[in-house]
Amino acid sequence: MLDPLVRLKDAHSKGLIPDDVFNLTMKRFPLVIEGINRIEKASGIRYPIAYVEPSLVVSSPDPNSYQYGILFARTIPVVFEDKFQVVIQISAPLIAYGLKGTIHAILAHEFLHFLDLMRKISKMELLSDEISGNLFENVYSDETRLFEPRAVFNDRTLLNHITKKFPAGFRDFKLEDKVMKFWADRNLPKSNISLDTNTIKLSAESLSKIKLDPAFISKMELLEEKSSKIHKKKLY
């Protein structure tokens, strides 16, 4: 079992993360565990592997522009030793400075991305179509193709957090201000992601090797059916 905090501890021991920020992140990490347990309980599906990224992850559409987005969490597909898995990367600044409801909403949103990805894989829809995890996707305006939160989660408070945080694109200005002040302005580690790095191309051969649990597939089909009913209701 991978320790989700291994990279954070490593960065701290190398002196990249100061004690106060490290201690705060460690102290608040149980909020993440609580969020993951809550999502599993509300969906009946196991959360993918998650780990804490000890840096502020930003992405800018153009290296020369001052405009960039903070990615508080990312859903990353990885192929490791011929095995395919999805990993959720949660940034340390989110844990240190995010409100509990925000942390849970972001974890839930990444979980919907994970389901979406698995659905595409189960339907072999990813052939040359790459999995794009770019900023524009992560602006969360991808409401049309995501599983409908109400179809997936039976937890009213969690749903309120999600709908409040992601009406059309996630922005939490208070959180962003805090992160700029307590993380960026102190020159703590920052990773800059170009928009195409979070993309993997899976060949038909490697896709055909991915074995998904039949129970998981039928669960996803049910959720997809429920989601499309909710979408239709919204349209009329």
Side-chain angles (χ1 to χ4, degrees), residues 6-62:
V6 68
R7 294 185 64 159
L8 179 72
K9 291 171 181 167
D10 188 43
H12 174 242
S13 68
K14 288 180 176 150
L16 299 169
I17 303 279
D19 291 347
D20 61 329
V21 175
F22 175 73
N23 293 337
L24 179 62
T25 311
M26 292 295 286
K27 189 177 114 194
R28 301 190 84 234
F29 183 68
L31 292 174
V32 173
I33 300 294
E34 189 189 321
I36 288 174
N37 290 339
R38 183 179 189 178
I39 288 161
E40 290 185 337
K41 190 175 168 215
S43 66
I45 297 172
R46 282 195 61 176
Y47 204 84
I49 293 169
Y51 77 94
V52 178
E53 168 58 41
S55 65
L56 174 60
V57 182
V58 297
S59 179
S60 75
D62 162 12

Side-chain angles (χ1 to χ4, degrees), residues 16 18 23 28 32 42 56 64 69 93-94 114 116 118-119 125 135 150 172 200 207-208 221:
L16 299 169
N23 293 337
R28 301 190 84 234
V32 173
L56 174 60
N64 305 319
L94 168 66
F114 154 71
D116 207 57
M118 298 316 266
R119 182 190 65 85
E125 272 176 29
L135 180 62
R150 278 181 299 162
D172 184 327
I200 61 168
L207 260 182
S208 63
E221 283 166 357

Side-chain angles (χ1 to χ4, degrees), residues 105 108-109 112 149 153 157-167:
H109 195 88
L112 295 175
F153 305 118
T157 317
L158 184 64
L159 286 170
N160 281 342
H161 288 317
I162 299 170
T163 45
K164 270 214 217 51
K165 295 289 175 195
F166 299 97

Side-chain angles (χ1 to χ4, degrees), residues 36-184:
I36 288 174
N37 290 339
R38 183 179 189 178
I39 288 161
E40 290 185 337
K41 190 175 168 215
S43 66
I45 297 172
R46 282 195 61 176
Y47 204 84
I49 293 169
Y51 77 94
V52 178
E53 168 58 41
S55 65
L56 174 60
V57 182
V58 297
S59 179
S60 75
D62 162 12
N64 305 319
S65 93
Y66 288 107
Q67 260 197 312
Y68 62 81
I70 297 175
L71 301 180
F72 287 112
R74 295 194 299 150
T75 300
I76 306 173
V78 284
V79 178
F80 179 68
E81 288 177 355
D82 266 0
K83 267 199 152 55
F84 173 85
Q85 57 192 130
V86 175
V87 178
I88 309 281
Q89 179 194 72
I90 308 158
S91 79
L94 168 66
I95 301 169
Y97 307 113
L99 296 171
K100 173 176 152 173
T102 304
I103 293 172
H104 290 189
I106 289 177
L107 289 173
H109 195 88
E110 293 307 321
F111 184 73
L112 295 175
H113 271 298
F114 154 71
L115 289 180
D116 207 57
L117 197 58
M118 298 316 266
R119 182 190 65 85
K120 283 184 155 166
I121 284 167
S122 70
K123 298 196 163 174
M124 301 287 279
E125 272 176 29
L126 281 173
L127 297 181
S128 59
D129 169 26
E130 63 277 5
I131 303 170
S132 148
N134 65 35
L135 180 62
F136 302 110
E137 176 192 86
N138 273 335
V139 174
Y140 306 113
S141 58
D142 44 2
E143 298 308 326
T144 48
R145 54 175 202 76
L146 269 185
F147 280 93
E148 185 63 48
R150 278 181 299 162
V152 178
F153 305 118
N154 63 5
D155 174 330
R156 184 150 290 183
T157 317
L158 184 64
L159 286 170
N160 281 342
H161 288 317
I162 299 170
T163 45
K164 270 214 217 51
K165 295 289 175 195
F166 299 97
F170 174 80
R171 287 312 291 267
D172 184 327
F173 295 108
K174 275 190 183 143
L175 173 59
E176 288 176 22
D177 288 347
K178 268 186 158 172
V179 167
M180 293 317 284
K181 186 172 156 191
F182 298 121
W183 193 284

